[in-house]
Amino acid sequence: MRKIHSFIKSCFTQSCLLCILLSCGSNSKQQKMTFWDNCDIVATREIVNGDTVVVCDLSAVKQKLNIPLSLLVEDFEVIKFDNSKEEALISQRVMAPIVFSKNYMALHSFGAFPLKLFKRDGTFLRHIGAIGQGPGEYYMISEVQIDEDNNRIYLSSWISDKILIYDLDGNIYPPIPLPRRVVRCRMRVDSTNKTVLMMGVFFEDTKSHIWIQDFGGRVIQETSSLPYDSDQQPIEDFIITGQHTKSIELFREHYKNSNDLLYHYSIDSNKLIPRFKIINMKNDIVLYELPNQYIVETVHSTGIQNDVTSTKIIIDKVSLKGCYFDGFITPSGVLLDQYPMLAYMTNGYFSLVDFGSEIEKRILKVNEKDLSSENREKLDKLRKIIEKEEDDCSLLFVGKFKQ
């Protein structure tokens, strides 16, 4: 009889332990879904001419939440840029994407200073090229690509008929000719196969927004511009592509574009495929695609210099849930909501540069009681980096988007 009681007691104990373990697993899974659980479904999947398109309804977006960066990125870090040399100094808040490779990063501010090459730890190496009209020089920078494996840096200027080529030591090589003069183009250069995928703006005589060419300037394939309306002023036309995913996304920024679609370019079928749009929106928009989310942004200005704000919406690709948001919360609790924050993001990285004095003001707004001990240490480390500098310094917030 005692053996039976012992057996029953043992089974009961094991059952309780199993329930606790299952409960813990369930709670852990639920915690991972907490953020999107706080949002409503704001989009649907619809078939447009045989293609599946995610359609976000603005009227369905109700909540407003700031986005924890840990939801989107991994390997997040804060890097202080080298300020030991005058040529290393960043004279203004960087207003252009920062380009990364495994061991290097390059930044510019269109035409405010030459392209600056740094190590990934923030150590300044050199200027690449120079502002001017001579060989290897440029007026304003449109796009930069670092190909570390092949010791090459590719640069396209704002208006040009060629792609400039340098090595990581700053030496100049013969440029890649383009079949036509381009304005504010985007590019993907393949050094191994010696091809270039180009994305340019729309003009009345433009045959295509996107084409693939060889290093000699010969067009291999190109697409028609027909998916886009052609009744807009060319000067307001700009191609947006963050290149955060394996897909080649393409969105056209111009006036009265609230009904425009974000497309993917299929190299195999050589056509643009619609993927995302927003409805019930009256303002001009910019669409960004991240590996797991879409972001819609509308910009507002009072006309006063630097007085620019934006309204932002994020949509999860899987659950189709979304919300308004002001900015991103770092693990140390600092809110990053500077404009044009989203324009910094390119090639699979979240990145933002700002002065230490500006970040110090944001640190004062952090409620440290809400931080874990680990994140309080990160905030204290950030504070000490800023306090250590006698002069103002430039800080880089960077992380790789989760794929």
Side-chain angles (χ1 to χ4, degrees):
M1 191 71 177
R2 290 181 179 178
K3 290 183 178 181
I4 293 175
H5 281 300
S6 177
F7 175 75
I8 292 173
K9 184 177 181 181
S10 175
C11 289
F12 178 76
T13 302
Q14 290 178 21
S15 298
C16 289
L17 287 172
L18 181 60
C19 288
I20 292 171
L21 289 172
L22 290 174
S23 175
C24 289
S26 175
N27 287 337
S28 175
K29 186 175 181 180
Q30 187 176 1
Q31 288 174 0
K32 292 179 181 178
M33 295 297 293
T34 297
F35 180 82
W36 296 117
D37 281 349
N38 290 328
C39 302
D40 293 333
I41 294 175
V42 298
T44 57
R45 292 183 178 88
E46 300 181 9
I47 304 299
V48 178
N49 297 325
D51 298 307
T52 301
V53 178
V54 174
V55 180
C56 174
D57 186 348
L58 178 66
S59 64
V61 184
K62 306 296 183 184
Q63 292 91 354
K64 186 173 185 179
L65 303 167
N66 286 318
I67 314 297
L69 260 179
S70 58
L71 182 74
L72 307 180
V73 308
E74 55 192 1
D75 300 327
F76 177 78
E77 58 182 328
V78 180
I79 299 171
K80 184 183 78 67
F81 280 108
D82 182 3
N83 60 359
S84 61
K85 304 175 184 177
E86 185 175 350
E87 59 183 348
L89 298 177
I90 300 171
S91 58
Q92 64 181 50
R93 181 180 292 170
V94 176
M95 302 290 283
I98 303 164
V99 181
F100 299 90
S101 68
K102 182 178 180 180
N103 297 298
Y104 300 93
M105 56 185 175
L107 63 87
H108 64 91
S109 193
F110 298 114
F113 47 76
L115 181 69
K116 295 178 184 289
L117 184 67
F118 294 83
K119 290 182 180 179
R120 282 296 297 268
D121 65 359
T123 303
F124 177 75
L125 294 174
R126 62 189 60 86
H127 283 144
I128 301 296
I131 296 174
Q133 297 182 348
E137 295 180 338
Y138 40 82
Y139 173 58
M140 291 183 69
I141 299 173
S142 177
E143 178 88 345
V144 176
Q145 179 180 327
I146 301 175
D147 183 350
E148 185 177 338
D149 292 339
N150 291 285
N151 189 28
R152 288 292 182 268
I153 295 176
Y154 300 99
L155 183 151
S156 65
S157 55
W158 200 259
I159 303 175
S160 184
D161 57 1
K162 59 183 174 290
I163 296 172
L164 303 178
I165 306 177
Y166 312 87
D167 62 21
L168 293 166
D169 292 321
N171 298 309
I172 303 169
Y173 292 82
I176 300 171
L178 300 176
R180 58 184 72 102
R181 198 170 183 80
V182 296
V183 180
R184 296 182 290 186
C185 70
R186 307 302 301 271
M187 65 185 184
R188 284 189 182 183
V189 182
D190 185 338
S191 302
T192 303
N193 295 311
K194 297 188 181 305
T195 59
V196 185
L197 188 150
M198 293 292 298
M199 290 159 276
V201 302
F202 182 85
F203 290 101
E204 290 182 2
D205 59 348
T206 302
K207 186 177 180 181
S208 61
H209 279 289
I210 187 166
W211 70 89
I212 298 175
Q213 65 167 79
D214 61 23
F215 275 21
R218 181 181 65 88
V219 175
I220 299 170
Q221 68 183 52
E222 58 187 328
T223 64
S224 168
S225 296
L226 291 179
Y228 293 94
D229 295 330
S230 58
D231 59 349
Q232 305 298 330
Q233 294 296 320
I235 194 65
E236 301 301 335
D237 198 326
F238 185 46
I239 294 299
I240 301 292
T241 173
Q243 304 189 44
H244 297 300
T245 71
K246 294 180 180 179
S247 302
I248 303 162
E249 89 277 10
L250 191 71
F251 178 72
R252 179 182 172 211
E253 181 184 1
H254 62 91
Y255 284 139
K256 301 179 181 179
N257 69 345
S258 58
N259 292 316
D260 278 11
L261 288 142
L262 180 145
Y263 289 87
H264 284 180
Y265 173 60
S266 169
I267 295 177
D268 294 337
S269 60
N270 191 31
K271 69 176 184 178
L272 296 172
I273 302 171
R275 283 292 179 251
F276 177 84
K277 73 174 298 184
I278 187 166
I279 59 175
N280 294 320
M281 171 70 77
K282 296 181 180 179
N283 299 320
D284 300 339
I285 59 172
V286 181
L287 300 183
Y288 301 93
E289 181 174 10
L290 305 183
N292 300 299
Q293 296 86 22
Y294 294 106
I295 294 178
V296 183
E297 182 178 37
T298 62
V299 180
H300 320 282
S301 174
T302 61
I304 302 173
Q305 187 177 11
N306 297 327
D307 187 13
V308 180
T309 59
S310 68
T311 300
K312 297 175 284 290
I313 301 169
I314 188 167
I315 302 99
D316 178 56
K317 289 182 179 179
V318 175
S319 67
L320 301 184
K321 293 183 176 183
C323 64
Y324 290 103
F325 71 101
D326 286 327
F328 302 103
I329 302 290
T330 69
S332 58
V334 177
L335 174 65
L336 302 178
D337 62 353
Q338 299 92 318
Y339 179 83
M341 172 181 59
L342 298 176
Y344 295 135
M345 307 187 306
T346 188
N347 296 306
Y349 284 89
F350 170 91
S351 60
L352 184 146
V353 175
D354 209 341
F355 296 122
S357 57
E358 294 297 322
I359 299 303
E360 193 170 26
K361 296 174 186 176
R362 295 173 181 271
I363 290 176
L364 295 175
K365 298 178 182 180
V366 175
N367 186 351
E368 297 189 39
K369 294 180 180 179
D370 294 337
L371 300 177
S372 65
S373 57
E374 180 182 358
N375 288 335
R376 279 197 295 272
E377 289 178 7
K378 292 178 180 178
L379 181 65
D380 189 53
K381 182 180 179 182
L382 176 60
R383 189 185 285 115
K384 288 179 179 177
I385 290 174
I386 298 171
E387 292 174 348
K388 185 179 179 181
E389 297 295 319
E390 293 183 4
D391 300 319
D392 208 350
C393 61
S394 294
L395 299 175
L396 168 66
F397 297 80
V398 59
K400 195 165 187 177
F401 284 114
K402 297 177 181 179
Q403 295 293 322

